[in-house]
């Protein structure tokens, strides 16, 4: 008996990986930028810590809510499309069969084989077949609001905690360079790890997240120095 060849495709990670990278990146960049901006305004260490912790809590809640709402909207759209498809399968199965066969012909199958494939797949799971091949909805890509919200909140909190640790470890006079250096290092590592997990180019991902981190830190530091007040 032939052994089944199993493959672990990287696309299966796309749901949680996107939320995780987004959450951690936002946690590092937003919290570090907030800390650098407040510190640049000549605030003391306790004020910087209060601002950083407030940014962590508010950011984590915002990320969770934002991810849940946006991914829930996607899930609602998918559900509406599936309901409409289910109705069309019940009321006009012949047209749905022709539509599916046409999809397979457009992909390169001969007409006879395309209709045969459509027959067999619809006999087994008509809605699932149309969801996958007509609508592009599958188990891998389906929206998962709770997973996205939880992942984003946790990874944001972890990312935001890193610049806060640098604040605790550094003397007040060195808060800005310490937080900036630690944050950029963490962003570079995050870019490399995220790229590795997704099978992408690590150098490009690292350069991308580091560039935006430098820009965010520079802008907020400039604003803090310009206004010279505690945010």
């Amino acid at each position: 008996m032939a052994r089944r060849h199993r493959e672990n495709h990287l696309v299966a990670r796309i749901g949680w990986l996107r939320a995780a990278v987004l959450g951690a990146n936002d946690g590092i960049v937003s919290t570090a930028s907030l800390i650098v901006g407040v510190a640049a305004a000549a605030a003391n260490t306790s004020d910087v810590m209060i601002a950083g912790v407030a940014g962590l809590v508010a950011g984590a809640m915002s990320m969770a809510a934002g991810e849940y709402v946006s991914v829930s909207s996607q899930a609602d759209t998918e559900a509406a499309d599936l309901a409409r498809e289910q109705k069309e399968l019940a009321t006009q199965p012949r047209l749905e069969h022709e539509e599916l066969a046409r999809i397979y012909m457009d992909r390169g199958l001969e007409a006879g084989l395309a209709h045969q494939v459509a027959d067999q797949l619809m006999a087994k799971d008509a809605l699932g077949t149309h969801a996958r091949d007509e609508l592009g909805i599958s188990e891998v890509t389906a929206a998962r609001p709770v997973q996205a919200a939880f992942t984003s909140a946790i990874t944001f909190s972890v990312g935001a905690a890193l610049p806060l640790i640098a604040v605790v470890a550094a003397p007040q006079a060195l808060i800005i360079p310490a937080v900036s250096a630690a944050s950029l290092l963490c962003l570079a590592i995050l870019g490399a790890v995220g790229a590795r997990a997704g099978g992408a180019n690590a150098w490009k991902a690292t350069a991308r997240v580091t560039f935006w981190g430098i820009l965010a830190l520079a802008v907020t530091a400039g604003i803090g120095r310009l206004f010279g007040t505690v945010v």
Side-chain angles (χ1 to χ4, degrees):
M1 181 178 179
R3 295 174 58 187
R4 177 176 293 183
H5 175 58
R6 294 184 179 275
E7 294 184 13
N8 293 318
H9 294 288
L10 298 175
V11 72
R13 306 173 181 174
I14 194 169
W16 64 263
L17 181 60
R18 181 195 65 83
V21 172
L22 176 63
N25 182 82
D26 198 20
I28 296 171
V29 173
S30 63
T31 307
S33 298
L34 178 62
I35 288 172
V36 168
V38 173
N44 58 47
T45 301
S46 62
D47 290 332
V48 172
M49 279 297 297
I50 291 172
V53 172
L56 185 156
V57 175
M61 295 303 296
S62 177
M63 286 294 295
E67 282 289 310
Y68 185 82
V69 169
S70 63
V71 180
S72 291
S73 297
Q74 178 187 340
D76 291 342
T77 301
E78 291 176 354
D81 277 341
L82 289 173
R84 182 168 58 251
E85 198 65 30
Q86 181 72 75
K87 181 179 179 180
E88 291 173 352
L89 284 168
T91 57
Q92 45 190 17
R94 195 67 236 165
L95 289 177
E96 288 300 301
H97 175 276
E98 290 297 327
E99 186 176 31
L100 192 62
R102 173 57 58 185
I103 290 172
Y104 296 145
M105 283 186 277
D106 290 341
R107 292 179 182 175
L109 295 185
E110 296 179 353
L113 181 57
H115 282 85
Q116 184 180 358
V117 171
D119 280 336
Q120 294 186 14
L121 291 179
M122 288 185 66
K124 182 177 181 180
D125 182 8
L127 181 60
T129 299
H130 279 269
R132 181 181 62 253
D133 292 332
E134 181 183 347
L135 303 178
I137 300 173
S138 68
E139 181 65 23
V140 171
T141 61
R144 296 178 176 85
V146 174
Q147 181 193 67
F150 182 78
T151 301
S152 292
I154 293 299
T155 53
F156 181 97
S157 299
V158 172
L162 298 173
L164 286 173
I165 293 172
V167 172
V168 173
Q172 183 170 338
L174 297 177
I175 284 178
I176 293 177
V179 169
S180 299
S183 299
L184 292 176
L185 176 61
C186 292
L187 284 172
I189 294 172
L190 173 65
V193 170
R196 179 76 175 177
N201 185 291
W203 290 108
K204 286 180 63 176
T206 300
R208 185 167 55 230
V209 297
T210 304
F211 168 78
W212 288 106
I214 292 172
L215 182 62
L217 291 168
V219 170
T220 52
I223 292 174
R225 290 195 183 279
L226 178 65
F227 289 96
T229 56
V230 178
V231 178

